[in-house]
Amino acid sequence: MRKDKRLFWALAFAGLAALYSGCAKRTGRIVPLTRNAEGQEVYRLKTWSRLDCSAAPFIVGDRLGFFKEAGVEMVYTGEISSPQRIPSIMSGDNDMFDGHPNTLAIARHGGALLRGVATGGVEPDYSVTDPHLLHMWWVSNKNGRIKTLEDVRNFPGKVKMQSISRNTCTEFMTDIWLDKLGIPKDKIDFILLPDVEGVLSLKQGLVDIATPHPPFYRPIEQTGIANVLITSREIAGLDAGTGMWSFTDEFIKNNPEAVGRFVRAIKNAERWANDHPEETSRMTEEAIGVPVLANHYYSRTPIIDEAGIQVWIDGSIRSGALPPDTKIAAGDILTHDFEHYGLETPALALR
């Protein structure tokens, strides 16, 4: 590796380690059993307020009582931007993180000791034909210069692509199709914007490609300019949407029962969302104030597929988001100890 490249990685990960380690002592709070307004013993767990594609299972869990049923009460701490979320976990301001495996691996390499405890979102299998249930779209303006992915090659200058955050699903899958087309990665200039702003920016010509997730497919279609270039399932198959619910190592050690109860509640909420897509979309639309066609698709099982997780880590090494000599592997960012809490039960399956 060239000397300047080694220096870059040393500085980059030193910076991450400094950012996270400064907060590390506050990640392991002990959550006591307390009583809710009805006198039920519950664990109160903190998470940010969600007005994006991650909102649905929390809305379902609250409205239909899945959290209450598991003995959990969610405390919403306010909306924060995507780059602030892992630092908020490390500071103890929030407790759980729902993220893709590459994000967890990069965070862990930088000193944020997060660990997945259950599978959350997934890419729907090929029997699911509704494109609005897919994890992501890459969308250009049909009146612009980019009509197909091949047009990226001859686009003058850099292509401005909206992304929620760096080193997450957008870059992981963009790297895949750039490699397939033989287009250098520096052809893309990532513009960090939430999906809702990405929709507006595409319409205004401020970005060349938007990368929306559900529930922002309807708003981007309503612009009248949407040209879907490719979808996540076309790029990475059934590995394209994998996400994990995670906590810090210290939080898991201090609060195993609270973590287990959360896994039980969130998986019941996610299965219900899959089984009742129209009702879930209506509830999400009411809660976040954005027209919703569909929400993310969720794994019916909490069980984590380590081979699928490794795909994301390997992608981060290829892209340069993780150094080539990284020792991070799938087993370092997950545990199977809590999966049994989230297994489907016949009574809840019939609910």
Side-chain angles (χ1 to χ4, degrees), residues 207-229:
V207 298
D208 304 303
I209 298 176
T211 58
H213 299 67
F216 297 103
Y217 294 155
R218 174 174 280 177
I220 207 163
E221 288 178 331
Q222 288 177 338
T223 65
I225 63 167
N227 174 54
V228 180
L229 297 166

Side-chain angles (χ1 to χ4, degrees), residues 47-51 75-81 85 93-94:
T47 191
W48 52 86
S49 306
R50 288 164 164 79
L51 296 175
V75 177
Y76 298 99
T77 59
E79 191 180 7
I80 59 175
S81 66
R85 291 172 182 173
D93 293 334
N94 290 298

